[in-house]
């Protein structure tokens, strides 16, 4: 009993320490005194039950000592068994009563704990209700402080009648100023806004759960992964070990190996160390900037009329531009050499058009070229090339070179002469070559006289 009461004392002191109102403290003190009286009564009853009883019989008086002495030996043998039986029965009865008392005591302790929990729950409910009411009034005050105040004028404010009905009085007119009406309206609007927020929270529970991509260690995907992890996992659990296990689950490759190395650490240090290592290895700003720049300048060249590839290239440029601007590395891609490499990936026709755009920017706007200019140019050309109706252009009238009659006849004669010459020399392949024009030892094609003649003479 004393051990259980000691536990009750500890719990009551912790509970009483959280109370602030004097009325609640007085109620807690009365409850403590009632429990103290109950425990005292239980101890008293337990002591009475456990005290040994001494039965005084008439035959045990001093006058009968001699008689009892003489007859004790005669009765000793037959009374020993009955005494032992009575003692055993008495012991069994006391043990049963003690067990019943113990169970009763445990039940009473449980009832006290339940009562204490109920009081604490009611207290927390009152605190939550008071906090919600305070938030409503604070929002109403903020709304009234932000809203424009009516102008201050010297003449008295006009009043408007509001009818009120009392039980024993005739109808009266109570006047309210416009400022009081405005404050009431602001409070109503704040309350409606709070109700709307609660409805939106309930509706959010019916939305499908968002999915999160696995992080492979690519610095380009680091920012998106961290934001999605913080929103989907970190906001829904406060346990560092749980967050670390999810971090291991949603990584792969070198990133996952790095996260697994933190599992052997203490719970309070493992997750913090894992997030720090993840940022150091894959989330440094210069790593992210370098990865984005390399993707847009080292990609494959885009073929002419490949609208899908041009559209993908515009998306990469937009993502790179936005990311570099966010992390403060916009000048990394604005270097002229990098801009030139970006333009080199475009088809030849778009390069010609970009040259005109550069000339217009530098001559009319008098400024340097930036990655934003290239992004706008590529996006506009990709939008035009992927138009569902007029985007695809097929050249049906392909260019066919026209050969005049004279050149065609000359080519035919030349082809015939070449064939004849080849047949002559093929027959005399084993003989020494001899020029048929000057009779010297060389091929006809190497004869100077033959070269100096006109085409018709040849």
């Amino acid at each position: 009993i004393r051990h259980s009461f000691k536990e009750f004392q500890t719990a009551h002191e912790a509970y009483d320490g959280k109370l602030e109102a004097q009325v609640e403290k007085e109620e807690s003190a009365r409850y403590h005194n009632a429990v103290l009286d109950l425990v005292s009564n239980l101890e008293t009853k337990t002591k009475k039950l456990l005290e040994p009883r001494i039965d005084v019989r008439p035959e045990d008086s001093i006058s009968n000592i001699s008689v009892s002495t003489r007859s004790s030996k005669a009765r000793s043998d037959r009374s020993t068994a009955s005494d032992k039986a009575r003692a055993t029965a008495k012991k069994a009865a006391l043990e049963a009563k003690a067990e019943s008392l113990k169970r009763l005591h445990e039940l009473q302790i449980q009832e006290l704990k339940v009562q204490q929990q109920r009081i604490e729950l009611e207290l927390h409910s009152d605190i939550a209700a008071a906090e919600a009411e305070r938030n409503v009034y604070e929002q109403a005050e903020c709304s009234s402080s932000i809203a424009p105040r009516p102008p201050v004028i010297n003449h008295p404010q006009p009043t408007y009648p509001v009818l009120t009905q009392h039980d024993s009085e005739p109808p009266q007119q109570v006047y309210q100023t416009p400022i009081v009406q405005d404050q009431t309206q602001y409070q109503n609007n704040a309350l409606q806004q709070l109700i709307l927020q609660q409805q939106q929270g309930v509706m959010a529970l019916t939305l499908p759960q968002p999915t999160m991509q696995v992080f492979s260690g690519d610095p380009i995907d680091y920012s998106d992964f961290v934001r999605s992890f913080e929103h989907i996992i970190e906001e829904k659990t406060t346990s560092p070990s749980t967050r670390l296990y999810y971090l291991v689950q949603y990584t792969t490759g070198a990133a996952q190996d790095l996260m697994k190395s933190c599992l052997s650490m203490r719970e309070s240090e493992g997750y913090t160390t894992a997030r720090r290592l993840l940022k150091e290895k894959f989330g440094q700003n210069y790593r992210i900037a370098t990865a984005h720049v390399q993707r847009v300048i080292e990609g494959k060249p885009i073929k002419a009329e490949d609208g899908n590839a041009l559209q993908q290239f515009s998306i990469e440029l937009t993502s790179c531009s936005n990311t570099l601007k966010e992390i403060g590395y916009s000048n990394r891609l604005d270097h002229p050499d990098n801009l030139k490499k970006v333009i080199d990936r475009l088809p030849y026709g778009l390069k010609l058009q970009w040259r005109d755009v550069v000339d217009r920017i530098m001559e009319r706007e008098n400024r340097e070229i930036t990655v934003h200019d290239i992004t706008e140019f590529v996006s506009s050309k990709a939008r035009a090339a992927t138009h569902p109706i007029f985007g695809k252009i097929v050249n049906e009238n392909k260019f066919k070179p026209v050969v005049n009659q004279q050149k065609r006849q000359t080519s035919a004669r030349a082809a015939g002469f070449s064939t004849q010459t080849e047949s002559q020399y093929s027959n005399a392949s084993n003989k020494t070559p001899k020029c048929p024009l000057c009779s010297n030892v060389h091929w006809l094609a190497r004869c100077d006289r033959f070269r100096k003649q006109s085409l018709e003479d040849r």
Side-chain angles (χ1 to χ4, degrees):
I1 295 176
R2 293 184 179 275
H3 178 70
S4 300
F5 180 71
K6 186 177 181 180
E7 293 181 353
F8 169 76
Q9 283 281 97
T10 304
H12 182 271
E13 291 177 359
Y15 167 74
D16 190 70
K18 296 181 180 180
L19 300 179
E20 297 180 359
Q22 184 64 27
V23 177
E24 295 176 349
K25 290 185 177 181
E26 293 177 357
E27 182 67 23
S28 177
R30 287 195 295 271
Y31 173 70
H32 178 267
N33 294 333
V35 175
L36 183 60
D37 295 339
L38 179 62
V39 172
S40 299
N41 293 333
L42 290 175
E43 289 181 348
T44 302
K45 292 180 180 180
T46 304
K47 289 180 179 179
K48 289 182 178 180
L49 292 174
L50 296 179
E51 287 180 355
R53 295 182 179 180
I54 303 175
D55 297 331
V56 180
R57 295 171 295 179
E59 57 270 18
D60 294 335
S61 60
I62 299 176
S63 59
N64 297 327
I65 290 177
S66 58
V67 178
S68 62
T69 303
R70 290 191 299 269
S71 61
S72 61
K73 291 183 179 180
R75 298 194 309 268
S76 60
D77 294 336
R78 60 176 179 269
S79 64
T80 301
S82 60
D83 292 340
K84 290 182 178 180
R86 286 196 300 271
T88 303
K90 184 177 181 179
K91 179 181 179 182
L94 291 175
E95 289 178 352
K97 187 176 291 187
E99 183 67 22
S100 299
L101 183 62
K102 180 179 179 182
R103 292 182 181 180
L104 178 61
H105 174 68
E106 292 177 355
L107 181 60
Q108 291 174 346
I109 293 297
Q110 291 178 1
E111 291 177 353
L112 292 175
K113 290 182 179 180
V114 171
Q115 185 178 4
Q116 182 182 1
Q117 292 176 358
R118 184 175 66 253
I119 295 174
E120 186 175 358
L121 180 60
E122 293 176 355
L123 178 62
H124 285 299
S125 300
D126 295 339
I127 293 174
E131 182 67 19
E133 184 178 359
R134 185 178 67 84
N135 293 334
V136 171
Y137 283 111
E138 286 182 355
Q139 292 180 2
E141 292 176 358
C142 293
S143 301
S144 61
S145 61
I146 296 175
R149 297 290 184 180
V152 179
I153 54 180
N154 296 325
H155 57 80
Q157 294 286 340
T159 58
Y160 302 94
V162 179
L163 295 179
T164 59
Q165 180 68 37
H166 299 282
D167 296 334
S168 61
E169 297 180 0
Q172 299 179 354
Q173 289 185 347
V174 180
Y175 293 92
Q176 294 181 353
T177 62
I179 296 179
V180 176
Q181 292 180 348
D182 292 340
Q183 292 179 352
T184 304
Q185 184 66 26
Y186 293 149
Q187 293 178 358
N188 294 334
N189 293 337
L191 184 59
Q192 293 178 359
Q193 185 177 4
L194 180 61
I195 295 174
L196 180 61
Q197 292 177 357
Q198 293 178 352
Q199 293 177 351
Q200 292 176 352
V202 174
M203 293 297 295
L205 298 176
T206 62
L207 295 175
Q209 293 295 328
T211 58
M212 188 172 61
Q213 300 295 330
V214 178
F215 181 63
S216 61
D218 190 353
I220 295 178
D221 302 329
Y222 174 79
S223 298
D224 296 338
F225 171 75
V226 169
R227 289 178 180 176
S228 61
F229 186 84
E230 291 175 351
H231 178 70
I232 299 175
I233 303 297
E234 194 173 79
E235 290 183 357
K236 298 181 180 179
T237 177
T238 58
S239 174
S241 60
T242 304
R243 293 176 177 178
L244 180 58
Y245 280 111
Y246 275 113
L247 201 59
V248 174
Q249 180 181 352
Y250 285 100
T251 52
T252 184
Q256 188 180 60
D257 296 338
L258 190 63
M259 298 300 98
K260 288 182 179 179
S261 64
C262 301
L263 292 174
S264 59
M265 298 182 180
R266 290 184 296 179
E267 180 180 0
S268 59
E269 298 179 359
Y271 178 69
T272 305
T273 305
R275 286 293 303 272
R276 178 178 57 81
L277 293 177
L278 194 68
K279 182 174 180 58
E280 290 178 356
K281 298 297 182 181
F282 310 104
Q284 295 291 345
N285 290 339
Y286 75 92
R287 293 181 183 272
I288 298 175
T290 302
H292 275 279
V293 172
Q294 288 179 352
R295 185 173 67 171
V296 297
I297 68 177
E298 297 180 359
K300 295 181 180 180
I302 301 173
K303 298 180 181 179
E305 297 300 327
D306 191 352
N308 294 329
L310 192 63
Q311 180 71 22
Q312 181 63 30
F313 186 43
S314 68
I315 295 174
E316 293 177 359
L317 279 173
T318 303
S319 176
C320 178
S321 179
N322 294 338
T323 304
L324 295 182
K325 183 179 179 180
E326 181 180 358
I327 63 179
Y329 276 75
S330 299
N331 57 350
R332 179 65 65 89
L333 191 57
D334 285 337
H335 193 274
D337 293 339
N338 292 333
L339 297 180
K340 181 64 170 57
K341 292 179 181 179
V342 172
I343 296 299
D344 288 341
R345 293 185 58 187
L346 298 177
Y348 178 75
L350 293 184
K351 292 179 182 178
L352 296 179
Q353 298 180 28
W354 169 250
R355 184 176 60 182
D356 298 334
V357 173
V358 171
D359 181 71
R360 175 182 57 79
I361 292 175
M362 299 191 69
E363 292 297 328
R364 296 182 183 180
E365 301 181 12
N366 192 21
R367 62 177 179 85
E368 297 293 334
I369 304 299
T370 63
V371 66
H372 181 69
D373 299 324
I374 299 180
T375 303
E376 287 187 347
F377 174 77
V378 175
S379 298
S380 63
K381 299 304 176 183
R383 184 172 58 253
T386 56
H387 192 276
I389 300 176
F390 305 103
K392 190 69 175 178
I393 300 177
V394 179
N395 188 5
E396 297 179 354
N397 299 323
K398 295 183 179 180
F399 175 78
K400 296 181 180 180
V402 179
V403 182
N404 56 29
Q405 190 68 20
Q406 182 178 1
K407 291 184 177 180
R408 185 175 298 175
Q409 294 176 355
T410 303
S411 299
R413 289 197 300 269
F417 179 77
S418 175
T419 303
Q420 181 180 4
T421 304
E422 290 177 358
S423 62
Q424 291 177 359
Y425 286 119
S426 62
N427 294 331
S429 58
N430 296 328
K431 299 180 181 180
T432 304
K434 186 176 181 180
C435 180
L437 182 61
C438 64
S439 301
N440 292 327
V441 181
H442 56 254
W443 298 103
L444 177 63
R446 297 182 181 180
C447 181
D448 294 336
R449 290 177 57 186
F450 178 75
R451 293 178 179 178
K452 293 178 180 180
Q453 291 179 358
S454 64
L455 183 60
E456 295 180 356
D457 294 339
R458 291 180 188 179

